[in-house]
Amino acid sequence: MNYRIPFLAVFLLVVGCSEDVSLSKPLLDFVPKNASAIIKINDLSTFRTSLRSNTFLKELSNTQTIKKAVQKVQFLNLLKSESKSILAFVENDTLGFESVYLTAYSPGIVQQDSLESVLVEALDFKGIALTTYRFEERIFYQTKLGTTFVMSSSPSIIEVIIENLKNNNASETLQKLYNISNGYKPATLYLDVQKGNSVLGSLINDLSRINVSNFSDWISLDFSLTPSQLSLTGISIANDSVWNYIDLFANTKPLTPITPSLAPEATDALLAYTFDNHGTFAKNQNAYLNENRPIDPLFETVEEVGIILNDKRKAVVLSTHGPEILTDYIERSKTSTIEYQGNQIIRLQHSRFIEEGFTPLISNFRSNFCSFINDVLVFSETREFLEFIIRNHKNGATYDRGGTFTRLGKSLAEESNLLLISNSTSLKKIFQTELSAEFHKELGTALQSPYDIATQISADKNFYHTNIIISKQERIGSNTGVTALFKTKLDTSIATRPQFVTNHLTKTKEVVAQDFNNVLYLISSKGKVLWKKQLEGQIQGAVEQVDIFKNGRLQLAFTTNNQFLVLDRNGKEVKRFTKTYEGGGLNPLAVFDYDGKRDYRFVITQGKKTFMYNSKGSIVKGFKYTDAQDIILEAPKHLRIGNKDHLVFKLKNGMLKILNRVGDVRVRVNEKIDFSENEVYLNKDKFTLTDKKGTLYQIDTKGGLSKTNLNLSNDHGMFATANTLVLMNDNILTIRGKKVELELGVYTKPRISYINNKIYVSVTDLQSQKVYLFDSQAKAIPNFPVFGNSIIDLADLNNDTILDMVVSDENDTILTYKLN
């Protein structure tokens, strides 16, 4: 068809009648409203290079279908732009889709000499030029609207843009996503989910029969490409006026899914949903289904719903923080029981109760059989599939140990509300179902390499984090656990726990440690001692890093037995903070940064006294709690719930004081507690602690107190985060309810650390001089090295940082390692 005549007629008509149209609008406002996908390109040259180097996209481009699609954007080879730009795709009923490219106009943007046989025809009307470019049997259309350069595969697209210049503002959701996207990635994809089913949507449909058009509104995904992997990481926002599928997890916190540790290694695909509060999920479920059914107490302790798919067989996992109610129901519902490899397999009378309780997460599923595996309920439609799951679990052939999970796990966050993973087998089934027979046949020939796909979604305050990975399968070598980096010998034995601090100049990690002569060392990431400083006493607790001048330069802050000190980058004292306290006996330093604005509060406690200093080293006059009712046992803690601050003090007489910023009581605790030596933590929005008899105390924000007798020894250890509770009792380590029996010994308190968004738990046996390291599923890190009298610190590091771990041995040596 010759587009030039009708297009010019419309163009002249619109331009002639639109003299008051503002052409200096944001770039996004030029995008047609019916665009189903938009790519914001931060660097056109880098973006093109990345696309060409990625194996998956390179193989995909060998199909005739994709080749035809690529032809629609072939004009990009003519362009050279250093400005941010937009490439948008608009669906077309007859031609599939059309494309349009938008950027700031600059002379020489079109490099027409870069391609041979380019035929250029130009038309000028009232200062606005319309140009057509003909090459390789394709025609592309270009114009300049104000300062905006426009090029498209179709004149009708430019026609729509000009017609809508007066009111073509992008949707509010799209504008939000566009404004907060990462400007450092090569490009960001904005996808209107409701205008088409993605591979993600097709896979979810296959697992749980969800209508993906209700999944979300717009999704924003930053491109990150390597030759073997395509990563799309960003956020999605659901329409406030419509309950979308992802809103089922609104106001819930993501947890670490355990479904991968139960699914067989041969699983084709799995889907795990987690939420920290079933009551909140149930309310969201009613809103999504437009129902008003009562919340079923049967599922009130459920934290995870998982789906395992293998060769058209399906199983469902229910993980709880208290299975008693479900256990009673299953006992009443069972019709028969058999034993298989030490596990009971129960046949159930009522087979629809899980589907009814968790629609739309679960659909078309009959829970005919169930079994407990590590205190987790696994349901299946057939006994044979449940036996298959039990057998693989007994043999250690679980999904989390297989190649797919190992490959993708490095790029996955520890916690999520939705985790979906599929291997090539399941992908091929989806492509066969969702794509045309011709394209599916082409795809089978073009994709020479096997691929895996993973998707994660986690709820946040007003949006959802999204992570999609397509990775080429590669041979996994043996996991060596850790690799040594360097060791540094000190002048004498190490007295304090070595720990990581950040070098604000290089953003790398360094190590601080103190020996028994009270000498403090700063050691570089190469093992070089940068400086040594003689202190009067031993550092109490951990060294804190602060930026008291708000200029990006970090200082080291700590207390010794009788001093409060702040040292600069070179180990020199910041004089206004050097304070000495008569009588000594200081607790470790507490540093509060209430609003994250570096308006620090330095809190020193000595006996019954509390000294609170500001960033100038002066006493904070408005703080009232300067004299406690009894001796303060340890450094106070600042715990934040919602938008409220809580300052927590443990007193020797058993009183737990929970105060506000000025020192008034915020939460009143009436019961006295014989405190263990463990700290107070915030776990599931409750103040969590233990006493010497092994009783777990949890206190809510209204002072409501619950007690659970865990029968722990007097010297038990505890560590907790928002969603993870770890206990060390004699030689039994418990991580999120999973127990690991270690060798008999004398163990330190467990420590939780984050490395690349993953949780690790470490304990040290002081008797046998061994260090144990576990992941969040209570699985030991293989080939972990053993050091005499080891003390360990794990750092929350970035992928490009070499240091992951520091330990010290009996030879007065600091050793650093990285996790493989």
Side-chain angles (χ1 to χ4, degrees):
M1 177 183 292
N2 186 346
Y3 290 101
R4 297 174 62 186
I5 296 175
F7 173 70
L8 288 177
V10 173
F11 185 85
L12 297 176
L13 179 62
V14 172
V15 172
C17 300
S18 306
E19 295 182 18
D20 60 337
V21 170
S22 172
L23 298 180
S24 60
K25 305 177 79 174
L27 203 61
L28 189 62
D29 284 354
F30 285 82
V31 176
K33 281 190 174 181
N34 60 338
S36 58
I38 299 167
I39 301 177
K40 175 185 177 183
I41 303 173
N42 295 312
D43 186 320
L44 181 59
S45 176
T46 302
F47 179 59
R48 282 190 300 220
T49 302
S50 299
L51 292 178
R52 290 166 184 164
S53 65
N54 182 263
T55 304
F56 176 74
L57 296 178
K58 191 185 298 182
E59 292 183 1
L60 199 64
S61 65
N62 291 328
T63 65
Q64 289 301 315
T65 305
I66 299 300
K67 284 181 180 179
K68 290 178 182 177
V70 169
Q71 289 176 354
K72 296 289 182 73
V73 294
Q74 208 161 10
F75 57 78
L76 292 176
N77 295 322
L78 290 172
L79 306 180
K80 182 180 181 180
S81 173
E82 297 181 356
S83 301
K84 286 182 171 56
S85 55
I86 287 178
L87 179 64
F89 300 92
V90 180
E91 294 181 6
N92 184 300
D93 292 337
T94 57
L95 300 175
F97 72 88
E98 300 292 350
S99 65
V100 60
Y101 179 81
L102 306 159
T103 191
Y105 177 80
S106 61
I109 188 172
V110 179
Q111 305 282 301
Q112 63 188 61
D113 294 336
S114 61
L115 293 177
E116 297 180 359
S117 304
V118 179
L119 179 61
V120 182
E121 298 181 8
L123 176 69
D124 184 87
F125 180 79
K126 294 185 178 180
I128 299 178
L130 174 67
T131 308
T132 62
Y133 295 84
R134 299 170 180 262
F135 62 96
E136 296 185 5
E137 300 180 356
R138 299 291 304 173
I139 304 176
F140 299 104
Y141 304 84
Q142 181 261 320
T143 190
K144 179 171 172 281
L145 302 177
T147 59
T148 301
F149 173 90
V150 183
M151 182 170 273
S152 176
S153 61
S154 168
S156 62
I157 300 298
I158 300 179
E159 174 188 349
V160 169
I161 292 174
I162 297 173
E163 286 179 340
N164 294 332
L165 277 176
K166 284 186 177 181
N167 54 12
N168 193 32
N169 294 320
S171 73
E172 183 178 349
T173 300
L174 178 57
Q175 288 188 58
K176 286 180 183 178
L177 292 173
Y178 187 85
N179 292 332
I180 63 176
S181 60
N182 192 325
Y184 299 99
K185 297 290 185 180
T188 301
L189 169 67
Y190 307 91
L191 186 65
D192 187 344
V193 179
Q194 298 183 3
K195 284 193 170 68
N197 287 353
S198 61
V199 170
L200 163 64
S202 302
L203 184 52
I204 292 177
N205 281 338
D206 191 43
L207 284 167
S208 54
R209 304 302 172 193
I210 298 163
N211 181 2
V212 77
S213 63
N214 292 327
F215 190 79
S216 178
D217 191 346
W218 281 88
I219 295 179
S220 165
L221 298 166
D222 293 324
F223 277 86
S224 181
L225 297 107
T226 66
S228 62
Q229 183 168 294
L230 166 63
S231 297
L232 301 167
T233 305
I235 60 176
S236 57
I237 299 178
N239 192 325
D240 292 337
S241 61
V242 179
W243 271 86
N244 292 276
Y245 182 80
I246 196 61
D247 288 322
L248 288 165
F249 307 101
N251 302 314
T252 69
K253 294 179 180 178
L255 303 176
T256 302
I258 68 168
T259 300
S261 68
L262 297 170
E265 186 175 355
T267 295
D268 292 332
L270 65 81
L271 185 58
Y273 304 95
T274 72
F275 37 83
D276 67 324
N277 189 308
H278 175 264
T280 302
F281 168 80
K283 291 177 182 177
N284 296 339
Q285 185 184 29
N286 274 337
Y288 176 80
L289 298 173
N290 196 23
E291 295 179 355
N292 191 26
R293 57 182 178 178
I295 297 176
D296 192 340
L298 179 63
F299 302 115
E300 65 181 11
T301 61
V302 173
E303 294 182 319
E304 178 176 345
V305 180
I307 301 172
I308 301 169
L309 196 67
N310 174 267
D311 193 22
K312 298 183 180 180
R313 300 179 295 181
K314 186 187 293 186
V316 170
V317 173
L318 290 188
S319 175
T320 74
H321 58 79
E324 292 81 8
I325 299 176
L326 270 168
T327 302
D328 291 343
Y329 175 85
I330 288 169
E331 187 66 25
R332 295 193 305 271
S333 180
K334 73 178 181 181
T335 60
S336 62
T337 303
I338 64 168
E339 186 170 322
Y340 181 76
Q341 293 192 2
N343 283 71
Q344 280 193 336
I345 296 179
I346 303 168
R347 189 179 186 104
L348 300 175
Q349 181 179 0
H350 306 294
S351 62
R352 292 288 188 184
F353 76 104
I354 292 181
E355 180 182 7
E356 292 168 357
F358 290 102
T359 182
L361 303 186
I362 305 296
S363 61
N364 299 327
F365 177 75
R366 291 184 178 272
S367 46
N368 297 324
F369 298 88
C370 79
S371 182
F372 280 93
I373 303 178
N374 285 356
D375 296 328
V376 178
L377 277 163
V378 182
F379 299 84
S380 175
E381 293 186 316
T382 66
R383 193 185 82 183
E384 290 74 21
F385 191 35
L386 197 51
E387 290 176 350
F388 177 70
I389 294 172
I390 293 171
R391 185 167 62 250
N392 278 266
H393 188 267
K394 293 283 185 183
N395 295 334
T398 51
Y399 194 77
D400 60 336
R401 299 183 180 185
T404 297
F405 194 83
T406 303
R407 278 186 294 273
L408 297 173
K410 297 176 182 179
S411 303
L412 296 174
E414 183 76 22
E415 299 174 337
S416 60
N417 288 115
L418 183 153
L419 171 66
L420 184 155
I421 307 178
S422 169
N423 60 19
S424 295
T425 302
S426 193
L427 277 178
K428 289 176 181 177
K429 292 179 182 177
I430 293 162
F431 288 145
Q432 187 174 13
T433 304
E434 301 295 329
L435 304 175
S436 67
E438 182 182 352
F439 183 40
H440 179 261
K441 184 178 179 180
E442 281 189 274
L443 203 61
T445 304
L447 293 181
Q448 297 295 317
S449 307
Y451 293 91
D452 297 315
I453 183 171
T455 298
Q456 282 185 305
I457 297 178
S458 300
D460 212 319
K461 292 181 180 179
N462 299 310
F463 54 89
Y464 300 89
H465 298 277
T466 306
N467 186 16
I468 300 174
I469 304 161
I470 298 176
S471 179
K472 179 183 175 182
Q473 293 183 7
E474 296 176 348
R475 183 183 297 273
I476 302 293
S478 60
N479 188 350
T480 57
V482 295
T483 301
L485 294 174
F486 68 80
K487 63 180 181 179
T488 303
K489 188 173 177 62
L490 306 188
D491 295 339
T492 187
S493 298
I494 299 164
T496 62
R497 176 175 62 84
Q499 68 176 89
F500 285 112
V501 293
T502 300
N503 180 328
H504 61 255
L505 300 174
T506 63
K507 307 305 179 185
T508 59
K509 293 293 179 181
E510 297 172 337
V511 179
V512 289
Q514 189 182 25
D515 67 19
F516 274 106
N517 289 333
N518 295 328
V519 175
L520 182 66
Y521 297 75
L522 180 67
I523 303 167
S524 76
S525 59
K526 302 296 184 183
K528 178 183 179 182
V529 175
L530 300 175
W531 51 255
K532 297 187 287 187
K533 181 176 178 62
Q534 180 69 56
L535 302 180
E536 292 183 10
Q538 184 172 313
I539 292 175
Q540 305 299 301
V543 174
E544 304 286 345
Q545 279 197 284
V546 293
D547 179 7
I548 55 178
F549 301 110
K550 298 184 179 182
N551 59 3
R553 298 182 178 182
L554 300 177
Q555 298 83 37
L556 307 178
F558 54 87
T559 58
T560 64
N561 179 60
N562 69 333
Q563 280 192 313
F564 167 38
L565 296 170
V566 176
L567 307 182
D568 67 13
R569 166 74 197 153
N570 299 311
K572 296 181 180 179
E573 297 177 18
V574 181
K575 291 299 183 182
R576 68 191 187 203
F577 286 99
T578 301
K579 302 179 187 297
T580 303
Y581 301 83
E582 186 178 349
L586 300 185
N587 283 318
L589 173 68
V591 180
F592 302 159
D593 185 8
Y594 295 125
D595 301 310
K597 297 180 180 178
R598 293 173 289 180
D599 295 322
Y600 301 107
R601 295 294 183 261
F602 299 92
V603 186
I604 290 91
T605 51
Q606 180 190 36
K608 298 181 181 180
K609 298 288 186 182
T610 300
F611 306 89
M612 181 179 282
Y613 302 94
N614 59 24
S615 293
K616 296 181 180 179
S618 303
I619 286 287
V620 177
K621 296 180 180 179
F623 185 70
K624 302 175 184 179
Y625 197 69
T626 56
D627 290 286
Q629 293 86 345
D630 204 342
I631 293 173
I632 300 168
L633 294 177
E634 59 190 39
K637 297 190 74 171
H638 169 233
L639 302 174
R640 193 177 182 97
I641 302 176
N643 59 356
K644 292 185 178 180
D645 300 291
H646 302 77
L647 312 186
V648 183
F649 292 74
K650 287 167 58 176
L651 306 187
K652 187 177 181 181
N653 63 5
M655 296 178 67
L656 184 68
K657 308 295 291 185
I658 304 177
L659 315 175
N660 61 17
R661 288 191 188 186
V662 299
D664 291 328
V665 173
R666 166 148 277 163
V667 178
R668 192 173 301 279
V669 182
N670 296 320
E671 185 168 340
K672 289 190 175 182
I673 303 170
D674 188 12
F675 299 112
S676 69
E677 294 185 0
N678 298 290
E679 297 178 26
V680 180
Y681 298 97
L682 198 61
N683 180 253
K684 299 185 183 298
D685 284 343
K686 291 182 179 180
F687 305 98
T688 302
L689 64 152
T690 58
D691 66 9
K692 291 179 180 177
K693 294 182 179 179
T695 302
L696 180 72
Y697 289 76
Q698 291 194 299
I699 303 162
D700 62 28
T701 54
K702 296 182 179 179
L705 185 150
S706 64
K707 295 189 288 186
T708 305
N709 186 3
L710 300 178
N711 295 316
L712 305 176
S713 61
N714 184 287
D715 59 351
H716 69 274
M718 183 186 78
F719 202 110
T721 63
N723 294 310
T724 300
L725 179 65
V726 178
L727 297 166
M728 188 73 224
N729 185 43
D730 294 330
N731 65 318
I732 304 298
L733 176 66
T734 305
I735 304 174
R736 286 181 57 84
K738 292 186 175 182
K739 295 183 179 181
V740 180
E741 185 173 353
L742 305 178
E743 298 176 10
L744 292 174
V746 179
Y747 288 91
T748 60
K749 297 176 184 178
R751 301 186 69 247
I752 296 177
S753 303
Y754 290 88
I755 301 179
N756 299 332
N757 294 320
K758 295 185 182 299
I759 291 174
Y760 290 88
V761 178
S762 58
V763 290
T764 301
D765 179 6
L766 300 177
Q767 193 174 61
S768 66
Q769 300 185 342
K770 289 183 179 179
V771 176
Y772 295 85
L773 185 65
F774 299 86
D775 64 16
S776 62
Q777 302 300 318
K779 290 185 174 60
I781 301 301
N783 301 322
F784 190 77
V786 176
F787 305 100
N789 195 24
S790 298
I791 307 170
I792 186 168
D793 182 35
L794 292 137
D796 182 10
L797 307 180
N798 298 321
N799 288 320
D800 58 351
T801 309
I802 62 170
L803 293 178
D804 284 342
M805 178 177 58
V806 60
V807 302
S808 60
D809 70 4
E810 76 279 10
N811 296 317
D812 314 327
T813 304
I814 298 289
L815 304 100
T816 55
Y817 288 78
K818 69 175 180 179
L819 292 171
N820 294 334

